[in-house]
Coordinates of all heavy atoms in Angstrom, one line a residue:
S250 N 127.5 110.0 112.0 CA 126.1 110.1 112.4 C 125.5 108.7 112.5 O 125.2 108.0 111.5 CB 125.2 110.9 111.3 OG 123.9 110.8 111.6
V251 N 125.3 108.2 113.7 CA 124.8 106.9 113.9 C 123.4 106.8 113.4 O 123.0 105.8 112.7 CB 124.9 106.4 115.4 CG1 124.3 105.0 115.6 CG2 126.3 106.5 115.8
R252 N 122.5 107.8 113.6 CA 121.1 107.7 113.2 C 120.9 107.7 111.7 O 119.9 107.2 111.3 CB 120.3 108.8 113.9 CG 120.7 110.2 113.4 CD 119.9 111.3 114.1 NE 118.6 111.4 113.5 CZ 118.3 112.2 112.4 NH1 119.3 112.9 111.8 NH2 117.1 112.3 111.9
C253 N 121.9 108.3 111.0 CA 121.8 108.3 109.5 C 122.5 107.1 108.9 O 122.4 107.0 107.7 CB 122.3 109.6 109.0 SG 121.3 111.0 109.4
S254 N 123.2 106.3 109.7 CA 123.9 105.2 109.1 C 123.0 104.0 109.0 O 121.8 104.1 109.3 CB 125.1 104.9 110.0 OG 124.7 104.2 111.2
E255 N 123.6 102.9 108.6 CA 122.8 101.6 108.5 C 122.3 101.2 109.8 O 121.4 100.3 109.9 CB 123.6 100.5 107.8 CG 124.9 100.2 108.5 CD 126.1 100.9 107.9 OE1 126.0 102.0 107.4 OE2 127.2 100.3 108.0
L256 N 122.9 101.7 110.9 CA 122.4 101.4 112.3 C 121.2 102.2 112.7 O 120.6 101.9 113.8 CB 123.5 101.6 113.3 CG 124.8 100.8 113.1 CD1 125.9 101.2 114.1 CD2 124.5 99.3 113.2
G257 N 120.8 103.2 111.9 CA 119.8 104.1 112.4 C 118.4 103.9 111.7 O 118.0 102.8 111.5
Y258 N 117.8 105.0 111.4 CA 116.4 105.1 110.9 C 116.3 104.7 109.4 O 116.3 105.5 108.6 CB 115.9 106.5 111.1 CG 114.9 106.7 112.3 CD1 115.2 107.5 113.3 CD2 113.7 106.0 112.3 CE1 114.4 107.7 114.4 CE2 112.9 106.1 113.4 CZ 113.2 107.0 114.4 OH 112.4 107.2 115.5
W259 N 116.1 103.4 109.2 CA 115.8 103.0 107.8 C 114.8 101.8 107.8 O 114.7 101.1 108.8 CB 117.1 102.5 107.1 CG 118.2 103.5 107.0 CD1 119.2 103.8 107.8 CD2 118.2 104.5 105.9 NE1 119.9 104.9 107.3 CE2 119.4 105.3 106.2 CE3 117.5 104.7 104.8 CZ2 119.7 106.4 105.3 CZ3 117.8 105.8 103.9 CH2 118.9 106.6 104.2
N260 N 114.1 101.7 106.7 CA 113.2 100.5 106.5 C 114.1 99.3 106.3 O 115.3 99.4 106.0 CB 112.2 100.7 105.4 CG 111.3 101.9 105.6 OD1 111.4 102.9 104.9 ND2 110.4 101.8 106.6
H261 N 113.4 98.1 106.3 CA 114.1 96.9 106.0 C 114.2 96.6 104.5 O 114.5 95.5 104.1 CB 113.4 95.7 106.8 CG 113.3 96.0 108.2 ND1 114.4 96.4 109.0 CD2 112.2 95.8 109.1 CE1 114.0 96.5 110.3 NE2 112.7 96.2 110.3
F262 N 113.9 97.6 103.7 CA 114.0 97.4 102.3 C 114.3 98.8 101.7 O 114.2 99.8 102.4 CB 112.6 96.9 101.7 CG 111.5 98.0 101.9 CD1 111.2 98.8 100.8 CD2 110.9 98.1 103.1 CE1 110.2 99.7 101.0 CE2 109.9 99.0 103.3 CZ 109.5 99.9 102.2
V263 N 114.7 98.8 100.4 CA 115.0 100.1 99.7 C 113.8 100.4 98.8 O 113.6 99.6 97.8 CB 116.3 100.0 98.9 CG1 116.5 101.3 98.1 CG2 117.5 99.8 99.9
P264 N 113.1 101.4 99.0 CA 111.9 101.7 98.2 C 112.3 102.2 96.8 O 113.3 102.9 96.7 CB 111.2 102.8 99.0 CG 112.2 103.4 99.8 CD 113.2 102.4 100.1
I265 N 111.6 101.9 95.8 CA 111.7 102.4 94.5 C 110.5 103.2 94.2 O 109.4 102.7 94.2 CB 111.9 101.3 93.4 CG1 113.1 100.3 93.8 CG2 112.1 101.9 92.0 CD1 114.4 101.0 93.9
L266 N 110.7 104.5 93.9 CA 109.6 105.5 93.7 C 109.5 105.9 92.3 O 110.5 106.0 91.6 CB 109.8 106.6 94.7 CG 109.9 106.3 96.2 CD1 109.9 107.6 97.0 CD2 108.7 105.4 96.6
N267 N 108.3 106.3 91.9 CA 108.1 106.8 90.5 C 107.9 108.3 90.6 O 106.9 108.8 91.2 CB 106.8 106.1 90.0 CG 106.6 106.4 88.5 OD1 106.8 107.5 88.1 ND2 106.1 105.4 87.8
Y268 N 108.7 109.0 89.9 CA 108.7 110.5 89.9 C 108.1 111.1 88.7 O 108.2 112.3 88.5 CB 110.1 111.0 90.1 CG 110.7 110.7 91.5 CD1 111.5 109.5 91.6 CD2 110.5 111.5 92.6 CE1 112.1 109.2 92.8 CE2 111.1 111.1 93.8 CZ 111.9 110.0 93.9 OH 112.4 109.7 95.1
D269 N 107.4 110.3 87.9 CA 106.9 110.8 86.6 C 105.8 111.8 86.8 O 105.7 112.8 86.0 CB 106.4 109.6 85.7 CG 107.5 108.8 85.2 OD1 108.7 109.3 85.2 OD2 107.3 107.6 84.8
D270 N 104.9 111.5 87.7 CA 103.8 112.4 88.0 C 103.3 112.2 89.4 O 103.7 111.1 90.0 CB 102.6 112.3 87.0 CG 102.1 110.9 86.9 OD1 101.4 110.4 87.8 OD2 102.4 110.2 85.9
I271 N 102.5 113.0 89.9 CA 102.1 112.9 91.3 C 101.3 111.7 91.7 O 101.5 111.1 92.7 CB 101.4 114.2 91.8 CG1 101.4 114.3 93.3 CG2 99.9 114.3 91.3 CD1 102.8 114.5 93.9
K272 N 100.4 111.2 90.7 CA 99.6 110.0 91.0 C 100.6 108.8 91.0 O 100.4 107.9 91.8 CB 98.6 109.9 89.9 CG 97.4 110.9 90.0 CD 96.3 110.6 89.0 CE 95.2 111.6 89.2 NZ 94.1 111.3 88.2
S273 N 101.5 108.8 90.1 CA 102.4 107.6 90.0 C 103.3 107.6 91.3 O 103.6 106.6 91.8 CB 103.3 107.7 88.8 OG 102.5 107.6 87.6
Y274 N 103.7 108.8 91.7 CA 104.6 108.9 92.9 C 103.8 108.4 94.1 O 104.3 107.6 94.9 CB 105.0 110.4 93.1 CG 105.7 110.6 94.4 CD1 107.1 110.4 94.5 CD2 105.1 111.2 95.5 CE1 107.8 110.6 95.7 CE2 105.8 111.5 96.7 CZ 107.1 111.2 96.8 OH 107.8 111.4 97.9
A275 N 102.6 108.8 94.3 CA 101.8 108.4 95.4 C 101.5 106.9 95.4 O 101.6 106.2 96.4 CB 100.5 109.2 95.5
A276 N 101.2 106.4 94.2 CA 100.9 105.0 94.0 C 102.1 104.1 94.3 O 102.0 103.0 94.9 CB 100.4 104.7 92.6
S277 N 103.3 104.6 94.0 CA 104.5 103.9 94.3 C 104.8 103.7 95.8 O 105.5 102.8 96.2 CB 105.7 104.5 93.5 OG 106.1 105.7 94.0
I278 N 104.3 104.7 96.5 CA 104.4 104.6 98.0 C 103.3 103.7 98.5 O 103.5 102.8 99.4 CB 104.4 106.0 98.6 CG1 105.6 106.8 98.2 CG2 104.3 105.9 100.2 CD1 105.5 108.3 98.7
Q279 N 102.1 103.9 98.0 CA 100.9 103.2 98.5 C 101.1 101.7 98.3 O 100.6 100.8 99.0 CB 99.7 103.7 97.8 CG 98.4 103.0 98.3 CD 98.1 103.3 99.7 OE1 98.3 104.4 100.2 NE2 97.6 102.3 100.4
R280 N 101.9 101.3 97.2 CA 102.1 99.9 96.9 C 102.7 99.2 98.1 O 102.4 98.0 98.4 CB 103.0 99.8 95.7 CG 103.5 98.4 95.4 CD 104.1 98.3 94.0 NE 105.4 99.1 94.0 CZ 106.6 98.6 94.2 NH1 106.7 97.3 94.5 NH2 107.6 99.3 94.2

């Protein structure tokens, strides 16, 4: 799958998300 590989749809960084609660999860994306 080219689109799912490193040649495809990815950001230029690897996000680190917080799954402790919904506010923390949203804040970790908003950051």
